[in-house]
Amino acid sequence: MSRPNPLRAATAHAPQDELLTIGQAGEYLGTGERFIRRLVAQRRISYVKLGKYVRLQRSSLDAFIEAGRVPSE
């Protein structure tokens, strides 16, 4: 009998909060990798370090978009 994987269960319930690579985050925002790397270097967006790899949560990118939203009049 195998035990359930808590990481798989968490991603199954929250697909909007998946971890994206720098390239995937750039595609999601419609920008290049360089812009995403600059956001990370300036700590303007939260990120996750997995060893030597940097990953961004989709919810962090959505929060960044909302913070930059300018309301209409």
Side-chain angles (χ1 to χ4, degrees):
M1 183 170 171
S2 65
R3 296 187 317 181
N5 184 343
L7 293 177
R8 183 174 292 154
T11 56
H13 295 302
Q16 72 278 4
D17 213 20
E18 64 183 310
L19 294 175
L20 304 175
T21 64
I22 297 289
Q24 291 170 329
E27 287 179 20
Y28 183 69
L29 292 181
T31 66
E33 289 186 26
R34 186 175 178 181
F35 177 71
I36 303 298
R37 290 185 190 281
R38 189 172 345 125
L39 291 176
V40 168
Q42 295 173 348
R43 296 185 185 260
R44 292 175 51 198
I45 193 166
S46 62
Y47 60 93
V48 178
K49 285 283 288 196
L50 298 172
K52 67 178 184 176
Y53 301 104
V54 173
R55 298 291 183 260
L56 298 122
Q57 290 179 304
R58 191 177 298 264
S59 62
S60 295
L61 297 174
D62 291 336
F64 179 76
I65 292 169
E66 278 301 314
R69 185 177 304 277
V70 178
S72 61
E73 294 183 39

Coordinates of all heavy atoms in Angstrom, one line a residue:
M1 N 0.8 -1.2 0.0 CA 0.0 0.0 0.0 C 0.9 1.2 0.0 O 1.8 1.4 0.8 CB -0.9 0.0 1.2 CG -1.9 1.1 1.3 SD -3.0 0.7 2.7 CE -3.8 2.2 2.7
S2 N 0.7 2.1 -0.9 CA 1.5 3.3 -1.0 C 0.9 4.5 -0.2 O -0.3 4.6 -0.1 CB 1.7 3.7 -2.4 OG 0.5 4.1 -3.0
R3 N 1.8 5.3 0.3 CA 1.3 6.5 1.1 C 1.0 7.6 0.1 O 1.7 7.8 -0.9 CB 2.3 6.9 2.1 CG 2.6 5.8 3.1 CD 3.5 6.3 4.2 NE 4.6 7.1 3.7 CZ 5.6 7.6 4.4 NH1 5.6 7.4 5.7 NH2 6.6 8.2 3.9
P4 N 0.0 8.4 0.4 CA -0.3 9.6 -0.5 C 0.9 10.6 -0.4 O 1.5 10.8 0.7 CB -1.6 10.2 0.1 CG -1.7 9.6 1.4 CD -0.9 8.3 1.5
N5 N 1.2 11.2 -1.5 CA 2.2 12.2 -1.6 C 1.6 13.6 -1.2 O 0.8 14.1 -2.0 CB 2.9 12.2 -3.0 CG 4.0 13.2 -3.1 OD1 4.2 14.1 -2.3 ND2 4.8 13.0 -4.2
P6 N 2.0 14.2 -0.1 CA 1.4 15.5 0.2 C 1.7 16.6 -0.8 O 0.9 17.5 -0.9 CB 2.0 15.8 1.6 CG 3.2 15.0 1.7 CD 3.0 13.8 0.8
L7 N 2.8 16.6 -1.4 CA 3.1 17.6 -2.4 C 2.2 17.4 -3.6 O 1.7 18.4 -4.2 CB 4.6 17.5 -2.9 CG 5.6 17.8 -1.8 CD1 7.0 17.6 -2.4 CD2 5.4 19.3 -1.3
R8 N 2.0 16.2 -4.1 CA 1.1 16.0 -5.2 C -0.3 16.4 -4.8 O -1.0 17.0 -5.6 CB 1.1 14.5 -5.6 CG 0.2 14.3 -6.9 CD 0.4 12.9 -7.4 NE 1.7 12.7 -7.9 CZ 2.3 11.6 -8.0 NH1 1.7 10.5 -7.6 NH2 3.5 11.5 -8.5
A9 N -0.8 16.1 -3.6 CA -2.1 16.5 -3.2 C -2.3 18.0 -3.1 O -3.3 18.6 -3.5 CB -2.4 15.9 -1.8
A10 N -1.2 18.7 -2.7 CA -1.3 20.2 -2.6 C -1.4 20.8 -4.0 O -2.1 21.8 -4.2 CB -0.1 20.7 -1.8
T11 N -0.6 20.3 -4.9 CA -0.7 20.9 -6.3 C -2.0 20.5 -7.0 O -2.4 21.2 -7.8 CB 0.5 20.4 -7.1 OG1 0.6 19.0 -7.2 CG2 1.8 21.0 -6.6
A12 N -2.5 19.4 -6.6 CA -3.8 19.0 -7.2 C -4.9 19.9 -6.8 O -5.9 20.2 -7.6 CB -4.1 17.5 -6.9
H13 N -4.9 20.4 -5.6 CA -5.9 21.3 -5.0 C -5.7 22.7 -5.4 O -6.6 23.5 -5.4 CB -6.0 21.1 -3.5 CG -6.5 19.8 -3.1 ND1 -7.7 19.2 -3.6 CD2 -5.9 18.8 -2.3 CE1 -7.8 18.0 -3.0 NE2 -6.8 17.7 -2.3
A14 N -4.5 23.1 -5.7 CA -4.2 24.5 -5.9 C -3.3 24.7 -7.2 O -2.1 25.0 -7.1 CB -3.4 25.1 -4.7
P15 N -3.9 24.4 -8.4 CA -3.0 24.5 -9.6 C -2.6 25.9 -9.9 O -1.7 26.2 -10.6 CB -4.0 23.9 -10.7 CG -5.3 24.1 -10.1 CD -5.2 24.0 -8.6
Q16 N -3.4 26.9 -9.4 CA -3.0 28.3 -9.6 C -1.8 28.7 -8.8 O -1.2 29.8 -9.1 CB -4.2 29.3 -9.3 CG -4.5 29.4 -7.8 CD -5.3 28.3 -7.2 OE1 -5.6 27.3 -7.8 NE2 -5.6 28.5 -5.9
D17 N -1.4 27.9 -7.9 CA -0.2 28.2 -7.1 C 1.0 27.3 -7.4 O 1.8 27.1 -6.6 CB -0.5 28.1 -5.6 CG 0.2 29.2 -4.8 OD1 0.7 30.1 -5.4 OD2 0.3 29.0 -3.6
E18 N 1.1 26.9 -8.6 CA 2.2 26.0 -9.0 C 3.5 26.8 -9.1 O 3.5 28.0 -9.2 CB 1.9 25.3 -10.4 CG 1.8 26.3 -11.5 CD 1.4 25.6 -12.8 OE1 2.0 24.6 -13.2 OE2 0.5 26.1 -13.4
L19 N 4.6 26.1 -9.0 CA 5.9 26.8 -9.1 C 6.3 26.9 -10.6 O 6.3 25.9 -11.3 CB 6.9 26.0 -8.3 CG 6.7 26.0 -6.8 CD1 7.8 25.0 -6.1 CD2 6.8 27.3 -6.2
L20 N 6.7 28.0 -11.0 CA 7.1 28.3 -12.3 C 8.6 28.6 -12.4 O 9.2 29.2 -11.5 CB 6.3 29.5 -12.9 CG 4.8 29.4 -12.9 CD1 4.2 30.7 -13.4 CD2 4.3 28.2 -13.7
T21 N 9.2 28.2 -13.5 CA 10.6 28.6 -13.8 C 10.7 30.1 -14.2 O 9.6 30.7 -14.4 CB 11.2 27.7 -14.9 OG1 10.5 28.0 -16.1 CG2 11.2 26.3 -14.6
I22 N 11.9 30.6 -14.3 CA 12.0 32.0 -14.7 C 11.4 32.2 -16.1 O 10.7 33.2 -16.3 CB 13.5 32.4 -14.7 CG1 14.1 32.3 -13.3 CG2 13.7 33.8 -15.3 CD1 13.6 33.4 -12.3
G23 N 11.7 31.3 -17.0 CA 11.1 31.3 -18.3 C 9.6 31.3 -18.4 O 9.0 32.0 -19.1
Q24 N 9.1 30.4 -17.6 CA 7.6 30.2 -17.6 C 7.0 31.5 -17.0 O 5.9 31.9 -17.4 CB 7.2 29.0 -16.7 CG 7.5 27.7 -17.4 CD 7.4 26.5 -16.4 OE1 7.5 26.6 -15.2 NE2 7.0 25.4 -17.0
A25 N 7.6 32.1 -15.9 CA 7.1 33.3 -15.3 C 7.1 34.4 -16.3 O 6.2 35.2 -16.4 CB 7.9 33.6 -14.1
G26 N 8.2 34.5 -17.1 CA 8.3 35.5 -18.2 C 7.2 35.4 -19.2 O 6.6 36.4 -19.6
E27 N 6.9 34.1 -19.6 CA 5.8 33.9 -20.5 C 4.4 34.3 -19.9 O 3.6 34.9 -20.6 CB 5.8 32.4 -20.9 CG 6.9 32.1 -21.9 CD 6.8 30.6 -22.2 OE1 5.8 30.0 -22.1 OE2 7.9 30.0 -22.7
Y28 N 4.3 33.9 -18.6 CA 3.0 34.2 -17.9 C 2.7 35.7 -17.9 O 1.6 36.2 -18.1 CB 3.0 33.6 -16.5 CG 1.8 33.8 -15.7 CD1 0.6 33.1 -16.1 CD2 1.7 34.7 -14.6 CE1 -0.6 33.3 -15.4 CE2 0.6 34.8 -13.9 CZ -0.6 34.1 -14.3 OH -1.7 34.3 -13.6
L29 N 3.8 36.5 -17.6 CA 3.7 38.0 -17.5 C 3.8 38.7 -18.9 O 3.5 39.9 -19.0 CB 4.7 38.6 -16.6 CG 4.6 38.2 -15.1 CD1 5.6 38.9 -14.3 CD2 3.2 38.6 -14.6
G30 N 4.2 37.9 -19.9 CA 4.4 38.5 -21.2 C 5.6 39.3 -21.3 O 5.7 40.3 -22.1
T31 N 6.6 39.0 -20.5 CA 7.9 39.7 -20.5 C 9.0 38.7 -20.8 O 8.8 37.5 -21.0 CB 8.2 40.4 -19.2 OG1 8.3 39.4 -18.2 CG2 7.0 41.3 -18.8
G32 N 10.2 39.2 -20.8 CA 11.4 38.3 -21.0 C 11.9 37.8 -19.6 O 11.5 38.3 -18.6
E33 N 12.9 36.9 -19.7 CA 13.5 36.3 -18.5 C 14.3 37.4 -17.8 O 14.4 37.4 -16.5 CB 14.4 35.2 -18.9 CG 13.7 33.9 -19.3 CD 14.6 32.7 -19.5 OE1 15.7 32.7 -18.9 OE2 14.3 31.9 -20.3
R34 N 14.9 38.3 -18.5 CA 15.7 39.3 -17.9 C 14.9 40.2 -16.9 O 15.4 40.5 -15.8 CB 16.3 40.2 -19.0 CG 17.3 41.2 -18.5 CD 17.9 41.9 -19.6 NE 18.8 42.9 -19.1 CZ 19.5 43.7 -19.9 NH1 19.4 43.7 -21.2 NH2 20.3 44.6 -19.4
F35 N 13.7 40.5 -17.3 CA 12.8 41.3 -16.4 C 12.5 40.5 -15.1 O 12.6 41.1 -14.0 CB 11.5 41.7 -17.1 CG 10.5 42.4 -16.2 CD1 10.8 43.8 -15.9 CD2 9.4 41.9 -15.8 CE1 9.9 44.5 -15.1 CE2 8.5 42.5 -15.0 CZ 8.7 43.8 -14.6
I36 N 12.2 39.3 -15.2 CA 11.9 38.4 -14.1 C 13.1 38.3 -13.2 O 13.0 38.4 -11.9 CB 11.4 37.0 -14.5 CG1 10.2 37.1 -15.4 CG2 11.1 36.1 -13.3 CD1 9.0 37.7 -14.8
R37 N 14.3 38.1 -13.8 CA 15.5 38.0 -13.0 C 15.8 39.3 -12.2 O 16.3 39.3 -11.1 CB 16.7 37.6 -13.9 CG 16.6 36.2 -14.4 CD 17.9 35.8 -15.1 NE 17.7 34.5 -15.8 CZ 17.7 33.3 -15.2 NH1 18.0 33.2 -13.9 NH2 17.5 32.2 -15.9
R38 N 15.5 40.4 -12.9 CA 15.7 41.7 -12.2 C 14.8 41.9 -11.0 O 15.1 42.4 -10.0 CB 15.5 42.9 -13.2 CG 15.9 44.2 -12.6 CD 15.9 45.4 -13.6 NE 15.8 45.0 -15.0 CZ 14.9 45.5 -15.9 NH1 14.0 46.3 -15.5 NH2 15.0 45.1 -17.1
L39 N 13.5 41.5 -11.2 CA 12.5 41.5 -10.1 C 13.0 40.7 -8.9 O 12.9 41.1 -7.7 CB 11.2 41.0 -10.5 CG 10.4 41.8 -11.5 CD1 9.1 41.1 -11.9 CD2 10.1 43.2 -10.9
V40 N 13.6 39.5 -9.2 CA 14.1 38.6 -8.1 C 15.3 39.3 -7.5 O 15.4 39.3 -6.3 CB 14.4 37.2 -8.7 CG1 15.2 36.4 -7.7 CG2 13.2 36.5 -9.1
A41 N 16.3 39.8 -8.3 CA 17.5 40.4 -7.8 C 17.2 41.6 -6.9 O 17.8 41.8 -5.9 CB 18.4 40.8 -8.9
Q42 N 16.2 42.4 -7.3 CA 15.8 43.6 -6.5 C 14.9 43.2 -5.4 O 14.4 44.1 -4.6 CB 15.2 44.6 -7.4 CG 16.1 45.1 -8.4 CD 15.5 46.1 -9.5 OE1 14.2 46.1 -9.5 NE2 16.3 46.7 -10.3
R43 N 14.5 41.9 -5.3 CA 13.6 41.4 -4.3 C 12.2 42.2 -4.3 O 11.6 42.5 -3.3 CB 14.2 41.5 -2.9 CG 15.4 40.6 -2.7 CD 15.9 40.6 -1.3 NE 17.1 39.8 -1.3 CZ 17.2 38.5 -0.9 NH1 16.1 37.9 -0.5 NH2 18.3 37.9 -0.8
R44 N 11.8 42.5 -5.5 CA 10.5 43.1 -5.7 C 9.4 42.1 -5.8 O 8.2 42.4 -5.8 CB 10.5 44.0 -7.0 CG 11.4 45.2 -6.8 CD 11.6 46.0 -8.1 NE 10.3 46.3 -8.7 CZ 10.1 46.7 -9.9 NH1 11.2 46.8 -10.7 NH2 8.9 47.0 -10.4
I45 N 9.7 40.8 -5.9 CA 8.8 39.7 -6.0 C 9.3 38.6 -5.1 O 10.5 38.3 -5.1 CB 8.5 39.3 -7.4 CG1 7.3 38.4 -7.5 CG2 9.7 38.7 -8.1 CD1 6.8 38.3 -9.0
S46 N 8.4 37.9 -4.4 CA 8.9 36.8 -3.6 C 9.1 35.5 -4.5 O 8.5 35.4 -5.5 CB 7.8 36.4 -2.5 OG 6.6 36.0 -3.1
Y47 N 10.1 34.7 -4.1 CA 10.5 33.6 -4.9 C 10.9 32.4 -3.9 O 11.0 32.6 -2.7 CB 11.6 33.9 -5.8 CG 12.9 34.4 -5.1 CD1 13.9 33.5 -4.8 CD2 13.1 35.7 -4.9 CE1 15.1 33.9 -4.2 CE2 14.2 36.2 -4.3 CZ 15.2 35.3 -3.9 OH 16.3 35.7 -3.3
V48 N 11.0 31.3 -4.5 CA 11.3 30.1 -3.7 C 12.7 29.5 -4.2 O 12.9 29.4 -5.4 CB 10.3 29.0 -3.9 CG1 10.6 27.7 -3.1 CG2 8.9 29.5 -3.4
K49 N 13.6 29.2 -3.3 CA 14.9 28.6 -3.7 C 14.8 27.1 -3.4 O 14.5 26.7 -2.3 CB 16.0 29.2 -2.9 CG 16.4 30.6 -3.2 CD 17.3 30.6 -4.5 CE 18.6 30.1 -4.2 NZ 19.6 30.4 -5.2
L50 N 15.0 26.3 -4.5 CA 15.0 24.9 -4.3 C 16.5 24.5 -4.7 O 16.8 24.3 -5.9 CB 14.0 24.2 -5.3 CG 12.6 24.6 -5.0 CD1 11.7 24.0 -6.1 CD2 12.1 24.0 -3.7
G51 N 17.3 24.5 -3.7 CA 18.7 24.2 -4.0 C 19.3 25.4 -4.7 O 19.2 26.6 -4.3
K52 N 19.8 25.2 -5.9 CA 20.3 26.3 -6.8 C 19.3 26.9 -7.7 O 19.5 27.9 -8.4 CB 21.5 25.8 -7.6 CG 21.2 24.8 -8.6 CD 22.4 24.4 -9.4 CE 22.0 23.5 -10.5 NZ 23.2 23.1 -11.4
Y53 N 18.1 26.3 -7.7 CA 17.0 26.7 -8.6 C 16.1 27.8 -8.0 O 15.8 27.7 -6.8 CB 16.2 25.5 -9.1 CG 17.0 24.5 -9.8 CD1 17.4 23.3 -9.1 CD2 17.5 24.7 -11.0 CE1 18.2 22.4 -9.7 CE2 18.3 23.7 -11.7 CZ 18.6 22.6 -11.0 OH 19.4 21.6 -11.6
V54 N 15.7 28.7 -8.8 CA 14.7 29.8 -8.4 C 13.4 29.4 -9.0 O 13.3 29.2 -10.2 CB 15.2 31.2 -8.8 CG1 14.2 32.2 -8.5 CG2 16.5 31.5 -8.1
R55 N 12.3 29.4 -8.2 CA 11.0 29.2 -8.7 C 10.1 30.3 -8.2 O 10.3 30.8 -7.1 CB 10.5 27.8 -8.3 CG 11.3 26.7 -8.8 CD 11.1 26.5 -10.3 NE 11.8 25.4 -10.8 CZ 13.0 25.4 -11.4 NH1 13.6 26.6 -11.6 NH2 13.5 24.3 -11.9
L56 N 9.1 30.6 -9.0 CA 8.1 31.6 -8.6 C 6.7 31.0 -8.5 O 6.3 30.3 -9.4 CB 8.1 32.8 -9.6 CG 9.5 33.5 -9.6 CD1 10.0 33.4 -11.0 CD2 9.4 34.9 -9.2
Q57 N 6.0 31.3 -7.5 CA 4.6 30.9 -7.4 C 3.7 31.7 -8.2 O 3.9 32.9 -8.3 CB 4.1 30.9 -5.9 CG 4.8 29.9 -5.0 CD 4.3 30.1 -3.6 OE1 4.4 31.1 -3.0 NE2 3.8 29.0 -3.0
R58 N 2.8 31.1 -8.9 CA 1.8 31.8 -9.7 C 1.1 32.9 -8.9 O 0.8 34.0 -9.4 CB 0.9 30.8 -10.4 CG 0.0 31.5 -11.5 CD -0.8 30.5 -12.1 NE -0.1 29.4 -12.8 CZ 0.2 29.4 -14.1 NH1 -0.2 30.4 -14.9 NH2 0.9 28.4 -14.6
S59 N 0.8 32.6 -7.6 CA 0.1 33.5 -6.8 C 0.9 34.8 -6.5 O 0.4 35.9 -6.4 CB -0.4 32.9 -5.5 OG 0.8 32.5 -4.7
S60 N 2.2 34.6 -6.4 CA 3.1 35.8 -6.3 C 3.1 36.6 -7.5 O 3.1 37.9 -7.4 CB 4.6 35.3 -6.0 OG 4.7 34.6 -4.8
L61 N 3.1 36.0 -8.7 CA 3.0 36.8 -9.9 C 1.7 37.5 -10.0 O 1.6 38.7 -10.4 CB 3.2 35.9 -11.1 CG 4.5 35.2 -11.2 CD1 4.5 34.2 -12.4 CD2 5.7 36.2 -11.4
D62 N 0.6 36.8 -9.6 CA -0.8 37.5 -9.6 C -0.8 38.7 -8.7 O -1.4 39.7 -9.0 CB -1.8 36.5 -9.3 CG -2.0 35.4 -10.4 OD1 -1.7 35.7 -11.5 OD2 -2.5 34.3 -10.0
A63 N -0.1 38.5 -7.5 CA -0.1 39.6 -6.5 C 0.7 40.8 -7.1 O 0.4 42.0 -6.9 CB 0.5 39.1 -5.2
F64 N 1.8 40.5 -7.8 CA 2.6 41.5 -8.4 C 1.8 42.3 -9.5 O 1.8 43.5 -9.5 CB 3.8 40.9 -9.1 CG 4.7 41.9 -9.8 CD1 5.6 42.8 -9.0 CD2 4.7 42.0 -11.1 CE1 6.4 43.7 -9.7 CE2 5.5 42.9 -11.8 CZ 6.4 43.8 -11.0
I65 N 1.0 41.6 -10.2 CA 0.1 42.2 -11.2 C -0.9 43.1 -10.5 O -1.1 44.3 -10.9 CB -0.6 41.2 -12.1 CG1 0.4 40.4 -12.9 CG2 -1.7 41.8 -12.9 CD1 -0.1 39.2 -13.6
E66 N -1.5 42.6 -9.4 CA -2.5 43.4 -8.7 C -1.9 44.7 -8.1 O -2.6 45.7 -8.1 CB -3.2 42.6 -7.6 CG -4.3 41.7 -8.2 CD -5.4 42.4 -8.8 OE1 -5.9 43.4 -8.3 OE2 -5.8 42.0 -9.9
A67 N -0.7 44.5 -7.6 CA 0.0 45.7 -7.0 C 0.2 46.8 -8.0 O 0.2 48.0 -7.6 CB 1.3 45.3 -6.3
G68 N 0.4 46.4 -9.3 CA 0.6 47.4 -10.3 C -0.6 47.9 -11.0 O -0.5 48.8 -11.9
R69 N -1.8 47.4 -10.6 CA -3.0 47.7 -11.3 C -3.4 49.2 -11.0 O -3.4 49.6 -9.8 CB -4.1 46.8 -10.9 CG -5.4 47.0 -11.7 CD -6.5 46.0 -11.3 NE -6.1 44.7 -11.4 CZ -6.1 44.0 -12.6 NH1 -6.6 44.6 -13.7 NH2 -5.8 42.7 -12.7
V70 N -3.7 49.9 -12.0 CA -4.2 51.3 -11.9 C -5.7 51.3 -12.1 O -6.1 51.0 -13.2 CB -3.4 52.3 -12.9 CG1 -4.0 53.7 -12.8 CG2 -1.9 52.2 -12.7
P71 N -6.5 51.8 -11.1 CA -7.9 51.7 -11.3 C -8.4 52.8 -12.4 O -7.8 53.8 -12.5 CB -8.5 52.0 -9.9 CG -7.3 52.8 -9.2 CD -6.1 52.2 -9.8
S72 N -9.4 52.5 -13.0 CA -10.0 53.4 -14.0 C -10.8 54.5 -13.2 O -11.3 54.2 -12.1 CB -10.9 52.7 -15.0 OG -11.9 52.1 -14.4
E73 N -11.1 55.6 -13.9 CA -11.8 56.6 -13.2 C -13.3 56.6 -13.6 O -13.7 56.2 -14.5 CB -11.2 58.0 -13.6 CG -9.8 58.1 -13.1 CD -9.3 59.5 -13.4 OE1 -10.0 60.5 -13.4 OE2 -8.1 59.5 -13.7

